[in-house]
Amino acid sequence: AEARDRIRELLGRDDIRSACATPGPLMDEVFTPELRGSAQFSVVDQPAQAGSALANYDLGITDCLCLAAHTGSVLVSTANAGSRAVSLLPPVHLVLARLDQLVPDIPDAIDLLTSVPGFPDDLPAAYTFITGSSRTSDIEKVLVVPAHGPREVFVIILA
C-alpha cells in the first residue's frame, strides 16, 4: 500500500503525464488498474515498441536484477523487452525491487549475474549499472546533469 501511495504521488506530479513500463511480476503486483489509469500508461512488451518513441514518455518504470547498497546502484538487464530504452529515454526512471534483491556492493552484483542459470551462454544484449543521473563537465568544465538518460531516478523497495 505504501508503494502504491508513493507511485500515486509520482504520477500526480505536473511533469508526469505518461508512463511506459517493462512487464514483470512486480509491475503486475504494484500497478493496479487505478494507478495505470492515472496517466497515459503503456507496457513495452515487444522489441518493436522500444524505439526512440519512448523518449516521449515522462516516466519509465522497470524492475531490476539487484541493487548494490554501497554505491546506490541499480542493475538492469535487456532481457525484458525494451528495458534499456525504458530506463534511459524518459526523463524520470522508477525502479521496482524486492528487499531480497539488495546486495552489499558491485562485486556481489556481478557474482549474482554469473550465478544466473544459462550464464555465460545465454546473455541478454546488455546489463546496465545505474547510479543516479549521469553527469559530465567535459565541455568547457561546466557540469551538465543529466548528460544522457533520466534526470531523476527513484527506487521503491518492496518487503
Side-chain angles (χ1 to χ4, degrees), residues 62-143:
T62 67
D63 60 4
C64 66
L65 292 174
C66 66
L67 306 167
H70 182 74
T71 57
S73 300
V74 177
L75 177 59
V76 296
S77 166
T78 57
N80 290 340
S83 66
R84 186 165 187 205
V86 171
S87 69
L88 289 174
L89 294 178
V92 181
H93 180 204
L94 171 63
V95 179
L96 301 175
R98 291 209 176 278
L99 188 58
D100 63 2
Q101 290 178 283
L102 189 61
V103 298
D105 53 30
I106 290 188
D108 291 303
I110 292 170
D111 288 344
L112 182 76
L113 269 182
T114 60
S115 70
V116 172
F119 186 88
D121 300 323
D122 189 24
L123 294 174
Y127 291 107
T128 305
F129 281 100
I130 301 167
T131 308
S133 297
S134 65
R135 54 187 60 225
T136 185
S137 58
D138 290 347
I139 301 170
E140 297 182 19
K141 304 209 184 302
V142 174
L143 181 63

Side-chain angles (χ1 to χ4, degrees), residues 17-91:
R17 295 169 306 285
S18 60
C20 58
T22 55
L26 284 179
M27 183 65 56
D28 294 339
E29 180 181 329
V30 174
F31 273 82
T32 62
E34 178 253 331
L35 279 177
R36 291 176 190 239
S38 62
Q40 177 190 343
F41 192 87
S42 179
V43 175
V44 179
D45 56 5
Q46 300 294 320
Q49 295 173 294
S52 61
L54 293 179
N56 295 325
Y57 285 90
D58 302 313
L59 173 67
I61 307 158
T62 67
D63 60 4
C64 66
L65 292 174
C66 66
L67 306 167
H70 182 74
T71 57
S73 300
V74 177
L75 177 59
V76 296
S77 166
T78 57
N80 290 340
S83 66
R84 186 165 187 205
V86 171
S87 69
L88 289 174
L89 294 178

